Amino acid sequence: GVKIVTIGGGSSYTPELMEGFIRRYDELPIREIWLVDIEAGKEKLEIVGEMAQRMWDASPYDVKVRLTIDRREALKDADFVTTQFRVGQLNARVKDERIPLSYGMIGQETNGAGGIFKALRTIPVILSIVEDMKELCPDAWLVNFANPSGMVTDAIIRYGKWEKVIGLCNVPVMAMMEEPKLIGKTTDELVYSFAGINHFHWHRVQDLEGNDVTSQIIDKLYEEENGTPANIFDVAYFKEQLKQMNLIPCGYHRYYYRYDEMLNHMLEEYNDPNIGTRAQQVKQTEAELFELYKDPNLHDKPEQLTKRGGAYYSDAACETIASIYANKNTQIVVSTKNNGAVPDLAPDDVVEVSAYIGAAGARPIAFGSFEPAEKGWLQLMKSMELCVEKAAVTGDYGVLLQAFIINPLIPSGETAKRVLDELLLAHKEYLPQF
Ligand code: NAD
Ligand code: G6P
Ligand code: MN
C-alpha cells in the first residue's frame, strides 16, 4: 500500500484531501496517511485529524490516519509527500496584508510585498523538508501546495536540487469546471492550454475539432459565474484587452490589469473595522470550520469549505498523485520545469502549464511564444520571482530590494524600502536567513 505524508496536516483543507483520496482508492490503494504539523498547530491537527479518520471509517476502506509533530518519523519510507503548511499561521498573513495596505499598497497573500514575504518564510522550511526527504524517502514525490506555489516549486528544484516535485494550484481547476458551462459544453468537450507562472498564467480553449472558442468564452465571462476563486474581488477585465489577447487571464491578473480598482477595494475592506483584510475574514471561516470538524457525527467535507479560495484543490492534488502512481498520463495544469514549453522563459524556469502527468512526472505541453504585452509581463514577473528566491536562500538585502523595486504592485522609492524594513521586522522570528 501507499504511504502518504501531508505536512501542514492541521490545515482546514485536509478533509478536502481525504475526500479526493477516498474517491480514488481503487486506483491509489493507500495504506496510511501521516498528518504532520508543529507544536503551534497541535490543536488543529488533532481536531482535523480525527475528522479525517472518521471520513475513512465511514468509507469501505481500511486506512489509518496518523498524527504527529515529528516530521522525520512521518517521512520515513513515504511514497508521496504533500505540503500545505503556512509558516507563521494566519497571523503572519494578517501582517503581509495589513502592513503594505497601511502604506497604501496592495496587501495580498501571494502578490506584491505580502507574497514576497510569504516566499521568504516558506522557502527555508521547504528546503529543510527536501533535505529530510533525501535521507528518509529518496524515491518519494513531493506535491507542493504551499504558497507562493510557483516560487516554492522553483526553489525546490533550483536550490534544493530535488527534481521529483510537482506544484499545484486550484485556479486552473476552477476555470475548467465553470467555463465550459458558459458555452453549453462539458470539460471533456474542450481542449485547454494553460501557460505562464503560478497565479500569473493565461489560457486558450479549443473545441474537439480544433476551432478556437476562447473568444466565445470571453463574451460569456461578463454574463455569468466565471470560476473566479472566492478570495478574489471580481472586477471585470477590460473586454477590449481580452479580445486583443484572445487569451483568458487567471483571476490574479486583476491585481495587475485593474490595479486601481483592486487597491481601492482592499483599502475599503481594510479600513472597515467590520470587514478587515482577507486573512481576518478567513480566520472567521476557519473558526466555523473547526467547530464543525469537532462534531463526532460529521464524516463528510462540509459545504462551508467552498468559502475558502482553495476549494477543489484536492481534485488537482489527488489526481496528480493517482496519475503518477498508476502512470495515467492525465492532463493537469501544474508548476514544473519549463523545458521549452514556454519559449519566452528559460528551460530551467518553473512554469505553470498544461502537462501530462505519469510515472515519470510532468511532461509539459508546448504552448509557444506570447505576444509582446504578455511576454513582457511574464518575463518581468519571473525575474522578480528569481530575485525573491535568491533573497530567501541567501538573506541578501540588496536582491530583496531589487525584487521590491521590480514588483509592479510596489511603487518604487523610499516608501517601498520602509515597507520592506517593517515587514522584515514584523516577521523576524520566521526569517532566520536575514
Ligand atoms: P493554515 O494557516 O491552516 O496552515 C496549515 C498548517 O500548517 C497549520 O496547522 C500550521 O500549524 C502548519 N504549519 C506551519 N508551519 C509549519 C511547519 N514548519 N511544518 C509543518 N506544519 C506547519 O493554512 P491554510 O489556509 O490551510 O493554507 C495552507 C497552505 O496552502 C498555505 O501556504 C496556503 O497559501 C496554501 N494554499 C495554496 C493554494 C494553492 O492554490 N496552491 C490554495 C489554498 C491554500
Ligand atoms: C486560491 C488560490 C490559493 C490562495 C487561496 C486563498 O484562489 O489558488 O493559492 O492561497 O485561494 O484562499 P483564502 O480562502 O485563504 O483567502
Ligand atoms: Mn493558487
Side-chain angles (χ1 to χ4, degrees):
V2 175
K3 177 176 180 181
I4 309 265
V5 177
T6 296
I7 299 179
S11 163
S12 62
Y13 288 110
T14 293
E16 166 96 33
L17 255 191
M18 296 306 120
E19 185 191 69
F21 286 137
I22 289 168
R23 281 197 191 146
R24 289 170 182 79
Y25 186 86
D26 289 338
E27 49 190 33
L28 183 69
I30 294 175
R31 171 171 43 100
E32 52 188 22
I33 301 181
W34 288 67
L35 302 179
V36 183
D37 215 286
I38 52 173
E39 188 63 42
K42 235 173 149 177
E43 201 189 323
K44 277 169 67 179
L45 178 69
E46 267 159 31
I47 296 167
V48 81
E50 280 176 26
M51 166 77 196
Q53 185 67 65
R54 286 198 302 277
M55 290 175 76
W56 282 104
D57 292 347
S59 82
Y61 316 114
D62 182 23
V63 170
K64 284 282 155 292
V65 179
R66 308 280 303 267
L67 312 180
T68 184
I69 56 168
D70 183 346
R71 182 171 91 200
R72 290 176 57 86
E73 177 196 17
L75 285 175
K76 185 95 185 68
D77 302 323
D79 297 298
F80 293 93
V81 177
T82 77
T83 41
Q84 54 174 35
F85 57 91
R86 182 187 295 285
V87 180
Q89 288 82 22
L90 277 170
N91 284 336
R93 176 173 172 186
V94 172
K95 295 177 186 172
D96 284 342
E97 295 176 346
R98 290 188 64 91
I99 292 172
L101 282 164
S102 74
Y103 288 89
M105 293 178 198
I106 281 179
Q108 213 277 328
E109 184 190 21
T110 62
N111 290 269
I116 291 175
F117 269 78
K118 186 162 175 31
L120 298 181
R121 297 193 300 278
T122 310
I123 289 172
V125 174
I126 200 81
L127 293 179
S128 77
I129 291 172
V130 165
E131 289 313 308
D132 282 351
M133 288 178 69
K134 286 177 184 168
E135 196 185 321
L136 299 165
C137 53
D139 297 324
W141 277 92
L142 176 51
V143 176
N144 177 63
F145 184 67
N147 270 321
S149 181
M151 281 191 255
V152 169
T153 305
D154 192 300
I156 289 167
I157 300 177
R158 194 180 300 273
Y159 294 102
K161 307 283 177 213
W162 181 275
E163 299 272 344
K164 291 176 82 173
V165 58
I166 289 185
L168 292 177
C169 176
N170 65 319
V171 167
V173 175
M174 290 184 76
M176 290 187 283
M177 259 169 73
E178 295 300 331
E179 288 172 8
K181 297 180 207 161
L182 298 177
I183 58 167
K185 300 264 187 198
T186 62
T187 309
D188 292 348
E189 293 168 338
L190 296 173
V191 178
Y192 269 82
S193 311
F194 283 80
I197 56 178
N198 179 238
H199 291 185
F200 209 87
H201 55 66
W202 299 264
H203 62 274
R204 58 167 92 95
V205 193
Q206 294 176 314
D207 65 18
L208 296 181
E209 285 76 51
N211 305 305
D212 189 284
V213 297
T214 314
S215 174
Q216 239 173 286
I217 296 176
I218 290 172
D219 286 331
K220 295 286 181 187
L221 286 178
Y222 294 85
E223 293 166 23
E224 290 161 70
E225 174 52 52
N226 57 27
T228 304
N231 60 308
I232 307 173
F233 177 55
D234 195 1
V235 180
Y237 287 113
F238 292 120
K239 199 173 194 174
E240 299 91 327
Q241 183 192 13
L242 301 203
K243 288 289 199 177
Q244 193 282 327
M245 298 195 285
N246 198 40
L247 290 170
I248 300 171
C250 81
Y252 286 90
H253 279 95
R254 282 184 180 78
Y255 295 109
Y256 304 84
Y257 292 168
R258 302 298 305 256
Y259 176 87
D260 287 345
E261 291 82 357
M262 295 305 276
L263 175 60
N264 288 336
H265 174 78
M266 291 174 120
L267 283 172
E268 262 168 43
E269 292 198 337
Y270 164 76
N271 287 317
D272 185 335
N274 296 317
I275 306 179
T277 67
R278 177 70 187 169
Q280 293 168 295
Q281 298 164 30
V282 163
K283 276 191 166 184
Q284 192 83 36
T285 307
E286 191 182 81
E288 285 169 30
L289 283 168
F290 275 87
E291 274 314 304
L292 293 169
Y293 295 160
K294 282 181 191 162
D295 176 358
N297 296 314
L298 185 72
H299 329 82
D300 291 307
K301 179 184 90 176
E303 171 63 24
Q304 279 87 335
L305 203 47
T306 57
K307 286 204 225 162
R308 293 298 304 274
Y312 309 111
Y313 117 76
S314 70
D315 283 311
C318 302
E319 193 55 36
T320 294
I321 293 173
S323 297
I324 293 173
Y325 181 78
N327 193 24
K328 287 169 67 182
N329 289 305
T330 320
Q331 206 176 299
I332 305 176
V333 181
V334 297
S335 278
T336 188
K337 213 155 80 166
N338 182 7
N339 282 328
V342 184
D344 302 320
L345 296 177
D348 64 348
D349 285 342
V350 164
V351 292
E352 192 155 289
V353 281
S354 303
Y356 292 107
I357 311 298
R363 284 181 295 124
I365 299 170
F367 184 86
S369 289
F370 283 99
E371 291 294 307
E374 289 71 66
K375 179 174 161 179
W377 271 115
L378 183 60
Q379 292 179 337
L380 178 89
M381 290 296 288
K382 187 70 204 184
S383 303
M384 187 277 304
E385 290 194 351
L386 293 177
C387 292
V388 175
E389 289 170 38
K390 191 172 217 173
V393 172
T394 61
D396 182 325
Y397 184 91
V399 76
L400 176 56
L401 187 56
Q402 285 277 40
F404 263 61
I405 289 169
I406 297 174
N407 193 298
L409 303 185
I410 308 173
S412 62
E414 201 52 55
T415 311
K417 195 162 182 291
R418 210 166 295 143
V419 172
L420 190 163
D421 291 338
E422 193 169 327
L423 282 162
L424 272 178
L425 202 61
H427 291 305
K428 204 165 178 255
E429 69 177 295
Y430 302 110
L431 299 173
Q433 72 276 51
F434 281 94

